[in-house]
Amino acid sequence: MSINNLVPLSKSSLESFLKRFDYFRDSELRQIEIISPSVIKITLAAQDSARGFDWITVTFEFSAVSDAKIIENSKLTHINLDEGITLLYQDELFAFMVGAYNNLSDAQSSICYVKSSSLKYQEGLF
């Protein structure tokens, strides 16, 4: 995966991005990759309303990670994404959480989360 294809995800576009993918409800966590202590990539398969609800992959790259709770890749197939994911920006941090949450402080309640100061994404083939 070329890093050149990663697009910054701004705090102002988070809500419309999540709506486009129905908050990743009923999606599939494909891979969590620890690139370095401060960079984590998470790949999901999701239906894209901008593409007639075709399935695509979306990879998030979190840089300057300050806190995370990660699940082993071998256990990802057991993660239920009925509630989707939460992506939010609070206190100058982006947060990714499995499940539906409203605040950065809720991250510890999630079975998997990442907090970082930078967030980029890339769309790929299913």
Side-chain angles (χ1 to χ4, degrees), residues 30-48:
R30 286 273 177 93
Q31 183 180 34
I32 298 177
E33 188 179 1
I34 299 171
I35 307 298
S36 73
S38 63
V39 179
I40 295 173
K41 285 187 178 181
I42 298 177
T43 302
L44 296 107
Q47 287 184 290
D48 184 356

Side-chain angles (χ1 to χ4, degrees), residues 16 18 36 43 65:
S16 62
L18 287 167
S36 73
T43 302
V65 172

Side-chain angles (χ1 to χ4, degrees), residues 84-113:
I85 66 166
T86 299
L87 282 175
L88 55 83
Y89 185 83
Q90 279 182 351
D91 302 331
E92 298 186 25
L93 287 174
F94 287 98
F96 166 94
M97 296 172 260
V98 171
Y101 298 97
N102 296 315
N103 297 298
L104 189 63
S105 59
D106 296 333
Q108 281 75 9
S109 300
S110 177
I111 59 168
C112 177
Y113 69 85

Side-chain angles (χ1 to χ4, degrees), residues 28-126:
E28 179 183 309
L29 265 170
R30 286 273 177 93
Q31 183 180 34
I32 298 177
E33 188 179 1
I34 299 171
I35 307 298
S36 73
S38 63
V39 179
I40 295 173
K41 285 187 178 181
I42 298 177
T43 302
L44 296 107
Q47 287 184 290
D48 184 356
S49 66
R51 290 192 173 103
F53 297 97
D54 279 348
W55 284 87
I56 67 166
T57 59
V58 177
T59 299
F60 296 106
E61 181 184 85
F62 299 90
S63 300
V65 172
S66 57
D67 191 14
K69 180 164 67 172
I70 301 300
I71 297 169
E72 294 174 36
N73 281 316
S74 63
K75 297 179 180 173
L76 292 181
T77 57
H78 304 292
I79 303 303
N80 181 326
L81 288 180
D82 287 353
E83 292 184 8
I85 66 166
T86 299
L87 282 175
L88 55 83
Y89 185 83
Q90 279 182 351
D91 302 331
E92 298 186 25
L93 287 174
F94 287 98
F96 166 94
M97 296 172 260
V98 171
Y101 298 97
N102 296 315
N103 297 298
L104 189 63
S105 59
D106 296 333
Q108 281 75 9
S109 300
S110 177
I111 59 168
C112 177
Y113 69 85
V114 177
K115 295 179 186 177
S116 70
S117 59
S118 174
L119 173 57
K120 295 180 181 179
Y121 77 98
Q122 177 181 21
E123 298 174 18
L125 299 173
F126 181 70

